[in-house]
Amino acid sequence: MLTRRRDVLLAAGAAVALSLGPARAEDTVKIGLIVPMTGGQASTGKQIDNAVKLYMQQHGDTVAGKKIDVILKDDAAIPDNTKRIAQELIVNDKVNFIAGFGVTPAALAAAPLATQAKIPEVVMAAGTSIITEKSPYIARTSFTLAQSSTIIADWAVKNGIKKVATLTSDYAPGNDALNFFREHFTAGGGQIVEEVKVPLQNPDFAPFLQRMKDAKPDAMFVFVPAGQGGNFMKQYAERGLDKAGIKVIGPGDVMDDDLLNDMGDAALGTVTAHIYSAAHPSAMNKEFVAAYKKAYNNRPGFMAVGGYDGIHLIYEALKKTGGKTDGDALIEAMKGMKWESPRGPISIDPETRDIVQNVYIRKVEKVDGELYNVEFQTFEAVKDSGKTKK
Ligand code: PHB
């Protein structure tokens, strides 16, 4: 009799514990956010983490009746880490999405895992064209280097720049930037007079800058990934390339708003083509920049916007599926999605799952005592032109 009563009490206790416990697994949507929070690309991870948190503060942490649980992991931008972490998140934590990816090799390392697990991989930072072709479960909210490099090449041709020396980071997005720039620039009659590639990790630009100076180009085309522009511009000014009249042109990564204001006057007048400027004059962007500054005490750059739009895409896809976490339904829901981002109007190309967005030509100017990329020309709804021809 006593034992029976004890059993009943135990069972009742367990039921109470269950009902008071954390949200049940089926009521929670888990997002594995894999970004570099340490190492040379840490500023990318911090911007994305900040922006995702800001978005969730503004929009709540429940979507279509599901609680959103973001699990943040640092891969230090090392693809072996990315792969191991993605595997653990999928197998142990049973995440419904993987997201983030600060560099191309990280996004590529995760692609086969997304395919195998049939869950969406939302690429918020990496920019090599080929990424979205590596899994039918990938959607991208960042950009491609083809989008900006072709446009700055055409601008250079039209603006009397005839000889260019190139300096690009020696890995996949640097090669995309260089190849798309070269193709458009030389087709327009331009000439490449010097071509150097710098290592991704801790690059010392000084010896290369001397070679650039000696080649006496009209301008130098530069791609370095987010986080490296400050150091590059410091060495550029120290070597006197600004004084020698060699202007920097390129995709806007080198003029990341995150670092721009500390670059000093050597950056003034730099013209780049890019997808986001903190000075983008829309009401939505003004609100975004103000909220980000208030929360984190610095200016958001383009990586923050990739993160903000990436979490938005996840929220909207979940709304469309009514909270269902079937990976095929989620990726279908993402195709063709259109919305207004702090960068301007954007959409997800239903064929390629890649981002379609405006590319702006901007010039660094002083506004109210601070350096900004001021947009002066817009190319609307630019698709990635770098896909493999099928
Ligand atoms: C990339 O690795 O794909 C990447 C990283 C940072 C950038 C652009 C591209 O600014």
Side-chain angles (χ1 to χ4, degrees), residues 102-104 126-128 143 145 171 173 223 225-226 253 302-303:
V103 292
T104 292
T128 305
F143 51 84
L145 275 311
Y171 77 122
F223 168 77
D253 307 65
F302 62 100
M303 289 302 188

Side-chain angles (χ1 to χ4, degrees), residues 11 16 27 57 103 131 139 170 177-178 182 201 217 237 290 300 326 343 386:
V16 169
D27 295 334
Q57 275 160 21
V103 292
I131 291 172
D170 192 10
L178 174 62
R182 195 203 287 113
Q201 304 295 344
D326 172 69
R343 66 186 107 177

Side-chain angles (χ1 to χ4, degrees), residues 113-373:
L113 301 176
T115 305
Q116 211 175 22
K118 298 184 188 299
I119 58 169
E121 170 177 339
V122 178
V123 175
M124 298 171 164
T128 305
S129 288
I130 202 166
I131 291 172
T132 49
E133 296 182 70
K134 293 299 179 184
S135 168
Y137 291 91
I138 293 180
R140 169 153 47 197
T141 59
S142 44
F143 51 84
T144 71
L145 275 311
Q147 286 176 323
S148 44
S149 300
T150 50
I151 285 176
I152 197 69
D154 297 343
W155 181 87
V157 168
K158 285 203 189 91
N159 285 273
I161 294 175
K162 297 198 164 57
K163 286 192 206 169
V164 164
T166 66
L167 181 146
T168 51
S169 194
D170 192 10
Y171 77 122
N175 294 335
D176 265 13
L178 174 62
N179 292 336
F180 288 107
F181 176 79
R182 195 203 287 113
E183 189 183 312
H184 275 240
F185 187 58
T186 55
Q191 192 192 348
I192 309 264
V193 292
E194 179 72 84
E195 215 175 271
V196 299
K197 295 189 179 183
V198 297
L200 170 62
Q201 304 295 344
N202 307 312
D204 177 12
F205 301 109
F208 302 112
L209 286 167
Q210 192 57 47
R211 266 168 66 189
M212 299 271 126
K213 204 172 166 188
D214 296 343
K216 296 192 177 10
D218 301 325
M220 62 185 292
F221 172 85
V222 179
F223 168 77
V224 290
Q228 293 187 0
N231 189 26
F232 170 79
M233 286 306 288
K234 188 168 161 272
Q235 297 192 7
Y236 164 87
E238 277 168 6
R239 293 267 147 175
L241 274 84
D242 54 337
K243 303 273 178 332
I246 303 169
K247 288 279 182 206
V248 170
I249 58 170
D253 307 65
V254 66
M255 290 289 128
D256 189 352
D257 277 297
D258 191 32
L259 304 171
L260 177 61
N261 204 32
D262 293 326
M263 288 184 194
D265 288 355
L268 274 173
T270 303
V271 176
T272 52
H274 208 44
I275 50 100
Y276 177 69
S277 165
H280 181 65
S282 69
M284 183 184 198
N285 186 49
K286 283 183 182 146
E287 261 174 53
F288 171 70
V289 172
Y292 190 99
K293 272 190 180 161
K294 186 160 176 243
Y296 307 113
N297 207 21
N298 64 16
R299 206 192 270 181
F302 62 100
M303 289 302 188
V305 177
Y308 198 74
D309 287 326
I311 188 77
H312 177 83
L313 180 63
I314 291 173
Y315 269 46
E316 292 304 309
L318 280 166
K319 282 184 197 166
K320 254 185 156 175
T321 64
K324 253 182 58 191
T325 51
D326 172 69
D328 289 287
L330 286 169
I331 200 82
E332 268 319 300
M334 290 179 184
K335 292 180 187 173
M337 194 96 81
K338 280 188 172 60
W339 69 99
E340 188 190 349
S341 153
R343 66 186 107 177
I346 63 175
S347 66
I348 301 297
D349 186 330
E351 250 102 70
T352 62
R353 292 158 279 99
D354 217 334
I355 185 163
V356 181
Q357 58 192 328
N358 293 351
V359 175
Y360 308 89
I361 305 195
R362 322 90 50 83
K363 186 180 203 164
V364 176
E365 288 174 13
K366 223 169 234 176
V367 183
D368 299 331
E370 290 192 25
L371 297 180
Y372 280 98
N373 292 297

Side-chain angles (χ1 to χ4, degrees), residues 54 265-266 379:
L54 178 64
D265 288 355
F379 292 79

